[in-house]
């Protein structure tokens, strides 16, 4: 029996999980952060970042384009 949790059911995602989910390079994620256009993150005391699944979904929804 597997003890891993599917990414889509995890509340807080690592940068690697977000990048894998969005199919972007880690450098792209950090570039978005520098430009202030990436999803909101939680910075842990050890310096690592986490992204709430709900924040990622809200961020994606805000970028949805209307059909032309």
């Amino acid at each position: 029996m597997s003890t891993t949790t599917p990414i889509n059911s995890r509340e807080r995602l690592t940068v690697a999980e977000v990048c894998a989910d969005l199919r972007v390079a880690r450098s792209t994620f950090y570039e978005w952060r520098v430009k202030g256009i990436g999803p909101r993150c939680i910075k842990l005391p050890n310096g690592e970042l986490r992204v709430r699944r709900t924040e990622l979904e809200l961020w994606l929804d805000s970028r949805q384009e209307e059909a032309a």
Side-chain angles (χ1 to χ4, degrees), residues 4-66:
T4 59
T5 304
I7 290 176
N8 61 1
S9 70
R10 299 208 26 213
E11 185 178 330
R12 286 177 226 53
L13 305 172
T14 65
V15 171
E17 290 170 331
V18 171
C19 291
D21 192 37
L22 297 176
R23 295 183 180 161
V24 299
R26 193 178 196 91
S27 60
T28 300
F29 176 85
Y30 284 110
E31 184 178 320
W32 290 343
R33 278 194 42 89
V34 168
K35 292 179 178 178
I37 60 172
R40 289 178 28 168
C41 297
I42 301 164
K43 190 169 188 176
L44 301 177
N46 65 359
E48 290 185 15
L49 298 174
R50 295 292 183 273
V51 178
R52 285 186 177 94
R53 169 59 65 181
T54 54
E55 286 294 334
L56 181 58
E57 294 301 328
L58 288 171
W59 180 78
L60 287 171
D61 288 347
S62 74
R63 273 139 190 83
Q64 184 172 339
E65 294 183 356
E66 298 297 322

